[in-house]
Amino acid sequence: MSKLSSSLFHFRNQLSQRNLSAKDVRDALPLQGFMSRAFISTARETFSADGKFADRIIAPYSIYKGKAAFSATPVLPTFSKLGSGSLKVDRRGSIMLKFWPAIGERKYDWEKRQLFALSATEVGSLISLGSKDSCEFFHDPSMLSSNAGQVRKTLSVKPNDNGYFISLSVVNNILKTNDRFSVPVTTAEFAVMRTAFSFALPHLMGWDRYTHQLPQSMYENPSSAKVVSPLLDSEWDK
Amino acid sequence: MSKLSSSLFHFRNQLSQRNLSAKDVRDALPLQGFMSRAFISTARETFSADGKFADRIIAPYSIYKGKAAFSATPVLPTFSKLGSGSLKVDRRGSIMLKFWPAIGERKYDWEKRQLFALSATEVGSLISLGSKDSCEFFHDPSMLSSNAGQVRKTLSVKPNDNGYFISLSVVNNILKTNDRFSVPVTTAEFAVMRTAFSFALPHLMGWDRYTHQLPQSMYENPSSAKVVSPLLDSEWDK
Amino acid sequence: MSKLSSSLFHFRNQLSQRNLSAKDVRDALPLQGFMSRAFISTARETFSADGKFADRIIAPYSIYKGKAAFSATPVLPTFSKLGSGSLKVDRRGSIMLKFWPAIGERKYDWEKRQLFALSATEVGSLISLGSKDSCEFFHDPSMLSSNAGQVRKTLSVKPNDNGYFISLSVVNNILKTNDRFSVPVTTAEFAVMRTAFSFALPHLMGWDRYTHQLPQSMYENPSSAKVVSPLLDSEWDK
Amino acid sequence: MSKLSSSLFHFRNQLSQRNLSAKDVRDALPLQGFMSRAFISTARETFSADGKFADRIIAPYSIYKGKAAFSATPVLPTFSKLGSGSLKVDRRGSIMLKFWPAIGERKYDWEKRQLFALSATEVGSLISLGSKDSCEFFHDPSMLSSNAGQVRKTLSVKPNDNGYFISLSVVNNILKTNDRFSVPVTTAEFAVMRTAFSFALPHLMGWDRYTHQLPQSMYENPSSAKVVSPLLDSEWDK
């Protein structure tokens, strides 16, 4: 890392992290009205503004390059508590990618960011990508609504000499906009993503909850060798 | 398999765990209502509401394809507390696979599901599968009982152009049924399974319990540099 | 899995697990007198008998084959609490391997077991083993004592057609014994070991403790943006 | 680097964290006594006894070879609590490498140690290194200060017959010193590093915090199937 690139990185971090946290909070308060569930299941979220974000973590993995920057952040699944007391995954988690353009040397425009939420299976595609492989994902946020086809998001990952180009294209026929971001990601940066995404994946799926789930009855009958299974099903039930 | 067929697996459990698994089965059987799921969804399950399953997690990884669907769910091991206070794995955990057939476009018949519980070693086989490899597992739920050989379950994983075919065949000579499910699993979906199964495997084995196990005496002797080992055996014992 | 092998597995589990827990407790009470620290750092442990094993976990990964069986169990490191309050690793953790011979069909002699404690680096060697690679480790429990060279333990891992042979040889010139155990381990079983050992490795090293270590002052100054670093050193200190 | 040289890194920290890191440095400097370690051992460190470091963990992975030794230790990120209650990563974590020279047979001079803090991306580079690959990282602790270019640190990892040479060169034009350490690391030792670094990486990035983050409102509305998302952003926001 040369002096210049390293100082740039620091400068950028100051810019973006300051913008980021302020902006996020400001943006978050009004609920987004325009949401529809779609064929390709990516994240939709509802929330309110009564202080429940107290424990929100802000720890994106961010990559700043000449023409654009992008960051990746895990989004946990939400659970519903059923009448029985069980917790059911309500909406799967995702890895949220955000892209925003450079508007000058070491300057980025966070206002022009675009989002793309990778599903568990799309994450699976990325982390199993060979060094010569490419992949492409298509999202239509308005799918199944009357606006179907009006907004098309395409994420592509293509190999280059030292890693991949990760590009996001967003064609919005309603706003008549056409955004395209392309960020070269080095092999080392992609290794960070692969490792962090692999770490996050079971959590996106809610599988970490199984492993925190202790068979409580075990502790209730300390002198007994009987235990109650924490799960219902057996292969032999049918 | 009908309610009446007493599987060896349960028989074994009765031996070592007394009535526990029998109780589980009794509870579980009347609870299956008819459910079919739309194309994009995750499995919902019903169960009793007496608080027993209060901490149950429902977060299957589900794959819906043209002719059938299947889901994978980790099942934790059960532990017995011995007189000494030690916790011993009573029954190993597994990855429970469930298959159910399509009965129309985006309609599936959950009533006709069949189960297959992957042992730790079978999970090891799956997660180490090369892209051209195949594997096959055979289970006989009635093994060692008078019904031995009457029900045969075969799970096979075979490579195709973009991933694998995962198929379950269940031949039940008692009920005179012969079910077969085959689900094409893409490379990306298999990568999710591989990552999630690898994450789950140490938990299925009970090894996560070791890592939550703090040497308590350490905190009891804060001023001492001597600590007590949490485990008994040493290589030098013999 | 054929009926016979599966029933054998169950039978063996009953035998070995019953023996195991009873035996371990009995063996454990008297301290082993003959211990020395050695060139190849493997585990030595001290302990007492006052109930501190209450939370002991018994969850070995066991493989039973025709001529011998072996099991693998993680052994956590021990920590000392220094005057400053810091916790220092006192003795590194290990993966404890135990081998014991078959003495008839489906019968094993737990009394004749031999132990071999894999250090972190030896675990690193195992989990990075290619399918055609082999490795060999030598331990001398009496190294640096007057009995140096009297007991030699050799663990070897050698590829075969479907996995590896894992063999332990123990030559004890004091007792005039020469034990050798060899267990064929399938690719699937080795994948379980590789995954479980990789999971355990950071815990053997004590690195999981870093990740449970919250910077407490963060919560003590909730309105402040200042935080105290949980660690002293900086690259720029020197 | 002397006590007097004010590194850019600390300068930066002072900007955002005020006096914190300065305090750390002040505390730390007088504490280094002379220590040398025997061939088989783990690093011991000294520090003040005022309770500040009460929860500090000391568990380096250390490799001692003929001419030098080095150790690796994870350093967690620090977080700031924002007015909104969110926790923002303040400074990324790192893997701290320390090198110190041999000064005789099995004697090492801890006083002459040099430090190199691997960033997340540098860790990504190391853990994705093929067996024939090499990599090199350059750090300038005084970058952007008037001393820019006066101290240059270079870490290089180069393949050899059985693993890698890991070398640190520190050229200090202020002190007129030129230190170089080179440690041969076996394939097995590198596998430990790869596994431990991969384990630590999500923690260095702060991503483990996401996974400990339970949607608290879930438990506050036990009878409701609606839950509040722990995170704000949605792909459909724009």
Side-chain angles (χ1 to χ4, degrees):
Chain A
M1 189 157 57
S2 77
K3 294 179 206 175
L4 283 181
S5 67
S6 190
S7 89
L8 176 60
F9 184 80
H10 182 64
F11 177 67
R12 285 165 176 166
N13 267 342
Q14 286 182 325
L15 278 185
S16 65
Q17 291 195 5
R18 191 157 302 150
N19 283 349
L20 174 66
S21 32
K23 267 289 301 159
D24 272 354
V25 173
R26 213 182 318 127
D27 285 358
L29 295 177
L31 269 167
Q32 317 297 334
F34 181 72
M35 289 188 283
S36 68
R37 286 294 261 181
F39 190 82
I40 296 168
S41 63
T42 50
R44 182 183 47 129
E45 305 190 30
T46 58
F47 37 80
S48 58
D50 60 349
K52 66 188 64 65
F53 308 120
D55 290 332
R56 197 190 173 204
I57 303 293
I58 305 177
Y61 180 61
S62 303
I63 297 177
Y64 292 81
K65 294 293 166 72
K67 298 189 176 171
F70 90 94
S71 71
T73 309
V75 179
L76 292 186
T78 57
F79 288 84
S80 295
K81 193 159 193 171
L82 304 180
S84 64
S86 294
L87 290 177
K88 189 175 81 66
V89 166
D90 207 45
R91 193 194 48 225
R92 295 273 168 198
S94 62
I95 298 284
M96 180 63 77
L97 301 182
K98 301 181 187 175
F99 291 77
W100 58 108
I103 52 170
E105 206 181 342
R106 303 180 194 181
K107 284 194 186 334
Y108 295 86
D109 187 352
W110 176 251
E111 280 298 308
K112 293 204 173 135
R113 70 189 177 284
Q114 292 281 1
L115 278 57
F116 197 93
L118 295 170
S119 70
T121 301
E122 289 164 347
V123 169
S125 186
L126 275 188
I127 62 179
S128 62
L129 214 59
S131 62
K132 301 297 172 207
D133 294 342
S134 60
C135 63
E136 207 165 21
F137 310 128
F138 304 94
H139 288 189
D140 177 356
S142 310
M143 189 165 36
L144 297 191
S145 82
S146 60
N147 283 324
Q150 296 300 304
V151 178
R152 280 172 292 126
K153 296 185 174 188
T154 308
L155 185 86
S156 75
V157 181
K158 288 179 181 154
N160 63 19
D161 282 350
N162 176 31
Y164 299 90
F165 277 110
I166 300 188
S167 307
L168 176 65
S169 155
V170 179
V171 177
N172 188 322
N173 288 332
I174 303 170
L175 302 176
K176 310 292 181 202
T177 57
N178 189 333
D179 294 311
R180 185 174 171 81
F181 312 87
S182 192
V183 178
V185 173
T186 66
T187 301
E189 290 161 343
F190 199 77
V192 173
M193 292 170 58
R194 190 193 303 269
T195 302
F197 290 11
S198 298
F199 168 80
L201 184 52
H203 301 275
L204 306 183
M205 301 164 68
W207 279 35
D208 60 319
R209 295 301 183 91
Y210 289 104
T211 65
H212 295 150
Q213 184 192 22
L214 297 184
Q216 298 174 316
S217 53
M218 184 170 64
Y219 299 107
E220 294 161 5
N221 306 318
S223 63
S224 162
K226 287 192 198 173
V227 290
V228 173
S229 164
L231 284 172
L232 260 181
D233 299 304
S234 146
E235 181 176 335
W236 322 120
D237 285 358
K238 281 202 66 166
Chain B
M1 223 166 89
S2 75
K3 300 178 194 179
L4 296 178
S5 70
S6 161
S7 79
L8 174 60
F9 187 81
H10 278 125
F11 178 67
R12 288 168 178 167
N13 273 339
Q14 286 169 347
L15 281 184
S16 60
Q17 299 182 31
R18 278 111 232 178
N19 298 328
L20 166 69
S21 344
K23 173 94 178 59
D24 272 357
V25 173
R26 210 185 317 125
D27 285 356
L29 288 172
L31 296 169
Q32 325 293 351
F34 179 86
M35 290 186 282
S36 72
R37 312 293 300 153
F39 194 82
I40 293 285
S41 71
T42 51
R44 180 176 49 117
E45 305 189 31
T46 58
F47 32 79
S48 71
D50 59 355
K52 180 180 179 185
F53 310 118
D55 289 331
R56 200 188 170 203
I57 303 293
I58 307 178
Y61 180 62
S62 302
I63 297 177
Y64 293 80
K65 292 294 165 71
K67 298 191 175 170
F70 90 94
S71 71
T73 308
V75 179
L76 292 186
T78 57
F79 288 84
S80 295
K81 192 158 193 170
L82 304 181
S84 63
S86 296
L87 290 177
K88 188 175 79 68
V89 165
D90 207 46
R91 190 182 48 190
R92 297 269 168 201
S94 61
I95 298 283
M96 181 64 77
L97 302 181
K98 300 180 187 177
F99 292 77
W100 59 109
I103 53 171
E105 206 180 342
R106 301 182 191 181
K107 284 196 186 337
Y108 296 86
D109 187 354
W110 176 251
E111 272 302 295
K112 293 203 173 137
R113 71 187 175 288
Q114 291 281 2
L115 277 59
F116 197 94
L118 294 170
S119 70
T121 300
E122 288 164 348
V123 169
S125 186
L126 276 188
I127 62 180
S128 61
L129 214 59
S131 62
K132 302 297 171 206
D133 295 341
S134 60
C135 62
E136 207 164 23
F137 310 127
F138 305 94
H139 288 188
D140 176 356
S142 311
M143 188 164 42
L144 295 192
S145 81
S146 60
N147 283 325
Q150 296 300 304
V151 178
R152 279 172 294 127
K153 298 186 174 188
T154 309
L155 185 85
S156 74
V157 182
K158 287 178 182 154
N160 64 19
D161 283 349
N162 175 32
Y164 300 90
F165 277 110
I166 300 188
S167 307
L168 176 65
S169 156
V170 180
V171 177
N172 188 321
N173 288 332
I174 303 169
L175 302 175
K176 309 293 181 201
T177 58
N178 189 333
D179 295 312
R180 185 174 171 80
F181 312 87
S182 193
V183 179
V185 172
T186 66
T187 301
E189 290 160 343
F190 199 77
V192 174
M193 291 169 58
R194 190 193 304 268
T195 303
F197 290 11
S198 298
F199 167 81
L201 184 52
H203 302 274
L204 307 183
M205 300 163 68
W207 280 34
D208 60 318
R209 295 302 182 91
Y210 289 105
T211 66
H212 295 151
Q213 184 193 21
L214 297 184
Q216 298 174 317
S217 54
M218 182 170 66
Y219 299 107
E220 294 161 7
N221 306 318
S223 63
S224 163
K226 276 288 167 215
V227 291
V228 173
S229 163
L231 284 172
L232 290 172
D233 299 306
S234 149
E235 183 176 336
W236 321 122
D237 284 0
K238 283 201 64 162
Chain C
M1 188 160 57
S2 77
K3 294 179 207 177
L4 284 181
S5 66
S6 189
S7 87
L8 175 58
F9 184 81
H10 182 64
F11 177 67
R12 287 164 177 168
N13 269 341
Q14 288 183 323
L15 279 185
S16 65
Q17 293 195 4
R18 191 156 300 149
N19 284 348
L20 174 67
S21 34
K23 266 292 297 162
D24 275 353
V25 174
R26 213 182 318 127
D27 285 358
L29 295 177
L31 268 167
Q32 316 299 333
F34 181 70
M35 289 188 282
S36 68
R37 286 295 258 181
F39 189 84
I40 297 168
S41 64
T42 51
R44 180 182 49 131
E45 305 190 30
T46 57
F47 38 81
S48 58
D50 62 8
K52 68 189 63 67
F53 310 120
D55 289 332
R56 198 188 172 204
I57 304 294
I58 306 177
Y61 181 61
S62 302
I63 298 178
Y64 293 81
K65 293 294 166 71
K67 298 190 176 169
F70 90 95
S71 70
T73 309
V75 178
L76 292 185
T78 58
F79 289 85
S80 296
K81 193 161 193 170
L82 304 182
S84 64
S86 296
L87 290 177
K88 189 173 81 67
V89 166
D90 206 46
R91 194 193 47 225
R92 298 269 167 200
S94 61
I95 298 284
M96 181 63 76
L97 301 182
K98 300 181 187 176
F99 292 76
W100 59 107
I103 52 171
E105 209 181 341
R106 302 179 196 182
K107 284 195 186 338
Y108 295 86
D109 186 352
W110 176 250
E111 280 296 307
K112 293 203 174 138
R113 70 189 177 285
Q114 291 281 1
L115 278 59
F116 196 94
L118 294 170
S119 70
T121 300
E122 288 163 347
V123 169
S125 185
L126 274 188
I127 63 181
S128 61
L129 214 60
S131 63
K132 301 297 172 207
D133 295 342
S134 61
C135 62
E136 205 164 24
F137 309 128
F138 304 93
H139 287 189
D140 176 355
S142 310
M143 188 164 39
L144 298 192
S145 81
S146 59
N147 283 324
Q150 296 300 304
V151 178
R152 279 172 293 126
K153 297 185 174 189
T154 308
L155 185 85
S156 75
V157 182
K158 289 181 181 153
N160 64 20
D161 284 349
N162 175 32
Y164 299 90
F165 277 110
I166 300 188
S167 307
L168 176 64
S169 155
V170 180
V171 177
N172 188 322
N173 288 332
I174 303 168
L175 302 176
K176 310 291 178 201
T177 58
N178 189 332
D179 293 311
R180 186 175 170 81
F181 312 88
S182 192
V183 178
V185 172
T186 67
T187 301
E189 289 160 343
F190 199 77
V192 174
M193 291 170 57
R194 189 192 306 268
T195 302
F197 289 10
S198 299
F199 167 81
L201 184 53
H203 302 274
L204 307 184
M205 300 164 66
W207 279 35
D208 60 318
R209 296 301 182 91
Y210 289 103
T211 66
H212 294 151
Q213 185 192 22
L214 298 183
Q216 295 174 319
S217 53
M218 184 170 66
Y219 299 106
E220 294 161 7
N221 307 318
S223 64
S224 162
K226 288 190 197 172
V227 289
V228 173
S229 163
L231 284 174
L232 260 184
D233 298 305
S234 146
E235 180 177 337
W236 321 120
D237 284 359
K238 282 201 66 167
Chain D
M1 224 167 90
S2 76
K3 300 178 193 178
L4 296 178
S5 69
S6 160
S7 80
L8 174 61
F9 187 80
H10 278 127
F11 177 68
R12 287 168 178 164
N13 272 339
Q14 285 167 352
L15 281 184
S16 60
Q17 299 182 31
R18 278 113 232 177
N19 298 326
L20 166 68
S21 342
K23 172 94 178 58
D24 273 357
V25 173
R26 211 184 318 128
D27 285 357
L29 288 174
L31 295 169
Q32 325 295 349
F34 179 86
M35 290 187 283
S36 71
R37 312 294 300 152
F39 192 84
I40 291 285
S41 72
T42 52
R44 179 173 51 117
E45 306 189 31
T46 58
F47 33 78
S48 70
D50 60 355
K52 181 178 179 185
F53 309 118
D55 289 332
R56 199 188 172 204
I57 303 293
I58 306 178
Y61 180 61
S62 303
I63 297 178
Y64 293 80
K65 293 293 166 71
K67 297 190 176 170
F70 90 95
S71 71
T73 310
V75 179
L76 291 186
T78 58
F79 289 84
S80 295
K81 193 160 193 169
L82 304 180
S84 64
S86 295
L87 290 177
K88 189 174 81 65
V89 166
D90 206 48
R91 188 181 53 189
R92 297 271 169 200
S94 61
I95 298 283
M96 180 63 77
L97 302 182
K98 301 181 187 176
F99 292 76
W100 57 107
I103 52 170
E105 206 180 342
R106 300 182 191 181
K107 285 196 186 336
Y108 296 86
D109 187 353
W110 177 249
E111 273 302 294
K112 293 204 174 135
R113 70 190 177 285
Q114 291 283 1
L115 277 59
F116 197 93
L118 295 170
S119 70
T121 301
E122 289 164 346
V123 169
S125 186
L126 275 188
I127 62 180
S128 62
L129 213 59
S131 63
K132 301 297 172 207
D133 294 342
S134 61
C135 63
E136 205 164 23
F137 310 129
F138 305 94
H139 287 188
D140 176 355
S142 309
M143 188 164 43
L144 295 191
S145 80
S146 59
N147 283 325
Q150 297 300 304
V151 178
R152 280 172 293 127
K153 296 185 175 189
T154 307
L155 185 86
S156 75
V157 182
K158 289 179 180 153
N160 63 20
D161 283 349
N162 176 31
Y164 300 90
F165 277 111
I166 301 188
S167 308
L168 176 65
S169 154
V170 181
V171 177
N172 188 321
N173 289 332
I174 302 169
L175 301 177
K176 311 293 180 201
T177 57
N178 189 333
D179 294 312
R180 185 173 172 81
F181 312 86
S182 193
V183 179
V185 172
T186 67
T187 300
E189 289 160 344
F190 199 77
V192 173
M193 291 170 58
R194 190 193 304 268
T195 302
F197 290 10
S198 298
F199 167 81
L201 185 52
H203 302 274
L204 306 184
M205 300 164 67
W207 280 34
D208 60 318
R209 295 301 182 92
Y210 290 104
T211 65
H212 295 150
Q213 185 192 22
L214 297 184
Q216 298 173 317
S217 54
M218 184 169 66
Y219 298 106
E220 294 161 7
N221 307 318
S223 64
S224 162
K226 278 287 168 216
V227 289
V228 173
S229 162
L231 284 174
L232 291 170
D233 299 305
S234 147
E235 181 176 336
W236 321 121
D237 285 359
K238 284 202 66 166

